[in-house]
Amino acid sequence: MKFSRSLKENHEFRRLYRKGETAVSPLMAVYIRRRKGEFNRLGITVSAKLGHAVVRNRVRRRLREAYRLNEECFRPGYDIVVVARSRAINAPFTELCADFLKLMGKLGALR
């Protein structure tokens, strides 16, 4: 991810849940908040309810890859948190990418 950093701190996730804008689909929920800076920060959350570690990590990798492939399409200067839902486990990768782009467009983060 050339233009991005990871969002790691718990208080940053909580602030985004509380004050950020939200877009929801059957596969994921996206929280986004504008901030000062020249790069985006991405955080991905996958609940333990979705399965054991192998399943959760696979979903996390697929969502990160969906972001990475479309990274040039997003405006810089956002904190983004993607929360995976249970349907994301079996969804085709192309559907994940399309859904992610649709939600980001709905939130006004596309160039």
Side-chain angles (χ1 to χ4, degrees), residues 9 11 21 26-27 30 32 38-39 48 55 70 75 91 96 100:
E9 298 295 323
H11 67 88
E21 296 178 48
L27 300 179
V30 176
I32 193 170
E38 298 179 6
F39 55 88
V55 173
N70 299 298
R75 289 188 196 163
L96 270 178
F100 185 61

Side-chain angles (χ1 to χ4, degrees), residues 45-57:
T45 305
V46 182
S47 171
K49 294 177 185 177
L50 296 186
H52 49 83
V54 174
V55 173
R56 293 194 310 268
N57 287 331

Side-chain angles (χ1 to χ4, degrees):
M1 296 190 297
K2 292 183 275 188
F3 309 114
S4 302
R5 306 280 194 294
S6 291
L7 198 62
K8 294 181 180 178
E9 298 295 323
N10 189 18
H11 67 88
E12 294 169 338
F13 278 84
R14 283 183 293 156
R15 183 184 319 128
L16 207 52
Y17 294 142
R18 201 172 49 248
K19 295 184 178 181
E21 296 178 48
T22 309
V24 179
S25 76
L27 300 179
M28 67 187 81
V30 176
Y31 295 85
I32 193 170
R33 185 167 186 235
R34 186 88 175 129
R35 62 175 197 82
K36 295 177 183 173
E38 298 179 6
F39 55 88
N40 291 332
R41 295 191 306 175
L42 177 70
I44 298 174
T45 305
V46 182
S47 171
K49 294 177 185 177
L50 296 186
H52 49 83
V54 174
V55 173
R56 293 194 310 268
N57 287 331
R58 181 172 182 259
V59 171
R60 198 174 292 122
R61 281 193 312 269
R62 293 173 78 210
L63 288 171
R64 193 177 305 117
E65 184 68 6
Y67 177 83
R68 188 189 69 82
L69 291 175
N70 299 298
E71 191 172 17
E72 304 84 30
C73 301
F74 305 132
R75 289 188 196 163
Y78 284 98
D79 282 346
I80 303 164
V81 170
V82 181
V83 180
R85 292 183 159 188
S86 59
R87 289 187 186 178
I89 295 170
N90 298 320
F93 183 70
T94 54
E95 190 178 340
L96 270 178
C97 288
D99 212 36
F100 185 61
L101 281 174
K102 184 179 80 172
L103 293 178
M104 291 296 281
K106 205 183 272 190
L107 292 168
L110 294 179
R111 289 184 188 208

